[in-house]
Amino acid sequence: MWAQLQQQLASRNADQAEQRASALRERARVAQSVADQAQESARSLKVESDQAQGQAGEARRGVAQMSSLGTVQTQLSDLREQIGKVLQSDISGADTAATLAPVVNAFGQETGTLVNVTA
């Protein structure tokens, strides 16, 4: 009878150990599943992060291009203004030169200031 009691106790201990092992295996499987999902989520976040970084780089390049374009436009505007001033001074300088220095002919008369329209 003692041997039978020990055998039942050992059998019950073995069953309990098996149940504990089975429960631990299930917990390990669930934990592994959660870890796999977390790893996949981390990969997805990494991809999104890389895409966002690329978009930020493109935006920075766009800002730099717009700044450069603004500088070029300002320089072109300044150049147009300078050209306009030079052309204006050439035109007004030519008018002044024509009125300040008339040509004198052989008779001592100034020519080039009046136009004779009589025929």
Side-chain angles (χ1 to χ4, degrees):
M1 172 123 165
W2 179 253
Q4 189 179 7
L5 185 61
Q6 283 182 332
Q7 187 179 6
Q8 285 176 352
L9 186 61
S11 178
R12 188 172 45 156
N13 285 343
D15 287 345
Q16 287 175 347
E18 258 185 40
Q19 287 174 355
R20 195 170 59 225
S22 178
L24 289 172
R25 272 193 300 275
E26 179 61 21
R27 285 178 56 193
R29 185 192 66 74
V30 168
Q32 184 64 49
S33 175
V34 168
D36 290 345
Q37 288 174 352
Q39 190 172 17
E40 184 58 35
S41 179
R43 283 189 196 112
S44 177
L45 288 172
K46 173 80 168 91
V47 167
E48 288 180 39
S49 170
D50 290 346
Q51 289 173 344
Q53 187 67 39
Q55 290 171 347
E58 288 177 24
R60 273 190 239 104
R61 284 189 292 277
V63 167
Q65 288 173 347
M66 289 176 65
S67 175
S68 294
L69 180 61
T71 300
V72 168
Q73 286 176 333
T74 300
Q75 291 171 344
L76 282 174
S77 178
D78 291 346
L79 182 60
R80 276 191 214 109
E81 188 176 320
Q82 291 172 2
I83 290 172
K85 287 178 183 178
V86 167
L87 290 176
Q88 188 63 34
S89 68
D90 283 351
I91 292 171
S92 64
D95 289 345
T96 304
T99 57
L100 292 179
V103 177
V104 178
N105 66 13
F107 301 106
Q109 300 169 331
E110 292 182 358
T111 61
T113 57
L114 297 175
V115 177
N116 188 351
V117 290
T118 58

